[in-house]
Amino acid sequence: LGKVCDIILLYAKNINNLKYRVLYQSKGLEADDYSDDPLKSDGFRTTTTVPFNYMNIDWPCSPNEHWKVPIDDLRRVAKTGRLIPKKTSLRVRKYASDFGYMVYHSVWMGFGGASDMRYVVETNAKVVERCMHMVTDPGDLVFDPTCGSGTTAFVAEKLGRRWITCDTSRVAVTLAKQRLMTSSFDYFRLRYPHEGLSGGFEYETASHVTLNSIAKNPDIDSIHNKMHPAILAALNSLNDALLAAPPPHFKPGQGYRKGKPVTFASGERLEEWEVPVDFPVSWPDAARRPFDDFHAAQQAMQALMEQSIKDHADPEILYDKPKKDDTRLRITGPFSVEAVPAPTVLSLDETAQPAEADATVARSGETSRQTQWRDELIRTGIRAKGGAMLKFADLETIPGVRHLHASGTLAETGERVVVSFGPEHAALEQRQVEMALSEAQKLRPAPKFIVFC
């Protein structure tokens, strides 16, 4: 059976230290204008497992559920006109403009292999970017023990993360090094420039209207108190016109009298939620003006409330959209490349001795295995700038110096070369380079090249 997707496993050494940044994808232009969400959650709550009256109907809560917000807050939501009565439940209306994004789920579509694949197992950088955005922040350290073509290191550098990567193949490390050294990246604006990367980036945000942000909006009540009297006044005028010239029976589309006739001739009046959207042809002309006034007042209040809802919406940080500074361009920062010689198997007696492999050559002037390395250089030579190979005719120790470990001549030109070996399992220190250069300047005849290994 063919597999339709890969599986990405997220795990942590310590679950309490695991960070996770929620990422969102755009809903796109094809999103519906509106939808609705439930108003209840599972579980009994003393104050919210109670009936709620809306449109003169008591909407119940079963013993194992509760309203998501307190009853007073639910009344505030009702004032916005966002409650939708269904057959057996109330739901809250959601507009597409409330939040134009949705959370990524576990199936990521639209990814193929790397667009410019240069290595057999090269990963699409967009996949690594999404993973890195989800679980790291700028300045965090990312480790990839299988360097390959360096995609993880490349993405980490691009996103302002520190990184370490390694591989058993020198080809892979060389390819990754070339990829990083020849790339340029966007410069992202720092949130706190004086703190550097640790302060994070400035990110794009998107307002997110939620049930809770509506329920806690302090402006809803004041807007309702200010503008609702005009709606009631227009409703009273409309009812007066309908009572003065009663039309045939009218059946409301919602509320406690849904589908039941309202008899104006007997003095029955319309409730606010029973006024139809379109003016019925059977209604008297005198009702047209208050009908239009009612909807105009209602729409004016609704517009102010929706603007207030938008203004009080909580911002969601779009962690995969850091803000760019288009006046700057960034290149790869300084990094080290270590090429460790082939591993050596030691006897039990040798491993029992104090390890000197990582001794600081800059301080001691001594380095392990230099005799073996001299022999290896004579056999293999060394690759120089531009791909040229330097072959040695001979290599011998140099008396009277500490940080230069061998001197020899090039096989083709006869020019003198001196060599300084670094520690076996540690980085070459700057001090060692400085000391070796100082010693080389005192040699006579002066060497043509200094090789650091």
Side-chain angles (χ1 to χ4, degrees):
L1 296 178
K3 295 181 179 179
V4 296
C5 65
D6 292 331
I7 297 173
I8 298 175
L9 298 178
L10 177 64
Y11 61 96
K13 183 177 180 180
N14 184 337
I15 196 67
N16 295 321
N17 292 337
L18 176 66
K19 66 174 68 172
Y20 182 76
R21 308 297 182 221
V22 178
L23 300 188
Y24 300 95
Q25 58 181 322
S26 174
K27 292 180 180 178
L29 298 177
E30 69 279 0
D32 295 334
D33 290 338
Y34 73 88
S35 58
D36 56 75
D37 275 353
L39 273 170
K40 298 176 184 176
S41 294
D42 294 336
F44 175 83
R45 298 289 187 275
T46 304
T47 58
T48 52
T49 304
V50 294
F52 176 70
N53 188 274
Y54 181 65
M55 294 184 177
N56 281 352
I57 299 175
D58 282 334
W59 300 88
C61 259
S62 68
N64 60 348
E65 61 184 6
H66 64 277
W67 301 108
K68 290 183 176 180
V69 295
I71 296 302
D72 288 343
D73 290 348
L74 196 54
R75 294 192 184 100
R76 186 174 296 117
V77 177
K79 293 175 182 178
T80 68
R82 283 193 173 228
L83 294 189
I84 303 175
K86 296 290 187 177
K87 188 173 182 180
T88 59
S89 65
L90 277 179
R91 296 178 71 86
V92 62
R93 188 188 306 272
K94 289 177 55 180
Y95 294 104
S97 59
D98 285 349
F99 189 51
Y101 297 86
M102 57 184 177
V103 177
Y104 281 107
H105 52 64
S106 59
V107 178
W108 297 356
M109 304 300 292
F111 291 114
S115 58
D116 55 345
M117 185 173 290
R118 290 163 290 181
Y119 201 73
V120 176
V121 294
E122 185 173 355
T123 308
N124 189 321
K126 295 295 183 181
V127 177
V128 183
E129 281 187 33
R130 188 178 295 179
C131 294
M132 210 170 289
H133 279 306
M134 284 181 169
V135 295
T136 68
D137 291 320
D140 283 354
L141 181 61
V142 177
F143 173 56
D144 179 9
T146 55
C147 176
S149 64
T151 300
T152 300
F154 174 85
V155 172
E157 184 72 27
K158 175 182 177 180
L159 301 184
R161 275 66 169 169
R162 297 176 298 130
W163 52 267
I164 297 174
T165 188
C166 58
D167 204 290
T168 57
S169 168
R170 294 186 179 183
V171 174
V173 174
T174 301
L175 180 63
K177 177 183 175 182
Q178 180 182 15
R179 182 178 182 182
L180 285 157
M181 293 290 288
T182 58
S183 297
S184 59
F185 307 99
D186 292 321
Y187 187 94
F188 299 125
R189 288 154 54 180
L190 298 174
R191 186 179 181 186
Y192 303 108
H194 63 284
E195 295 183 10
L197 281 175
S198 61
F201 293 145
E202 289 185 12
Y203 294 99
E204 295 181 21
T205 59
S207 60
H208 189 180
V209 175
T210 63
L211 173 62
N212 194 60
S213 69
I214 298 174
K216 299 299 182 183
N217 189 332
D219 293 342
I220 298 299
D221 292 334
S222 59
I223 293 173
H224 188 269
N225 293 338
K226 179 181 178 181
M227 304 193 70
H228 193 248
I231 297 175
L232 292 181
L235 179 61
N236 288 331
S237 298
L238 174 61
N239 277 317
D240 291 343
L242 294 174
L243 293 176
H249 297 315
F250 170 75
K251 295 181 179 180
Q254 58 184 0
Y256 68 102
R257 293 189 292 193
K258 179 180 179 181
K260 299 177 182 178
V262 176
T263 307
F264 299 106
S266 64
E268 292 185 321
R269 302 171 69 88
L270 289 178
E271 301 282 2
E272 184 176 339
W273 54 83
E274 294 176 333
V275 179
V277 175
D278 299 316
F279 188 77
V281 295
S282 61
W283 284 11
D285 291 340
R288 170 58 99 171
R289 178 65 179 272
F291 176 87
D292 291 340
D293 290 344
F294 172 84
H295 282 293
Q298 193 177 56
Q299 290 167 7
M301 185 180 75
Q302 186 71 29
L304 278 181
M305 286 192 173
E306 288 300 327
Q307 184 60 50
S308 177
I309 288 172
K310 182 178 180 181
D311 293 342
H312 286 82
D314 297 325
E316 294 287 358
I317 298 175
L318 305 181
Y319 286 101
D320 57 345
K321 291 180 172 56
K323 294 181 179 179
K324 301 176 184 177
D325 183 348
D326 293 329
T327 65
R328 303 183 187 185
L329 188 66
R330 187 167 54 85
I331 60 174
T332 302
F335 64 88
S336 300
V337 177
E338 288 295 316
V340 179
T344 303
V345 179
L346 303 178
S347 67
L348 290 177
D349 292 338
E350 290 175 305
T351 56
Q353 300 300 319
E356 298 180 356
D358 294 335
T360 304
V361 180
R363 295 192 182 95
S364 66
E366 300 177 357
T367 183
S368 62
R369 297 179 60 194
Q370 57 181 329
T371 300
Q372 180 181 346
W373 293 347
R374 277 203 314 271
D375 295 340
E376 184 177 345
L377 281 179
I378 292 176
R379 290 196 308 270
T380 64
I382 190 169
R383 188 175 298 278
K385 186 176 181 180
M389 288 297 298
L390 300 180
K391 292 289 187 178
F392 297 97
D394 58 77
L395 276 176
E396 298 178 353
T397 57
I398 311 177
V401 291
R402 293 180 60 192
H403 299 89
L404 294 175
H405 303 112
S407 174
T409 54
L410 295 180
E412 294 185 2
T413 64
E415 294 172 308
R416 187 182 184 188
V417 178
V418 291
V419 179
S420 178
F421 292 113
E424 181 177 3
H425 297 298
L428 186 69
E429 296 185 33
Q430 182 176 346
R431 175 176 170 79
Q432 179 183 343
V433 175
E434 294 171 352
M435 298 299 293
L437 286 171
S438 177
E439 291 178 348
Q441 291 171 354
K442 299 175 183 178
L443 295 177
R444 295 293 181 270
K448 179 69 174 179
F449 300 101
I450 303 177
V451 177
F452 295 96
C453 297

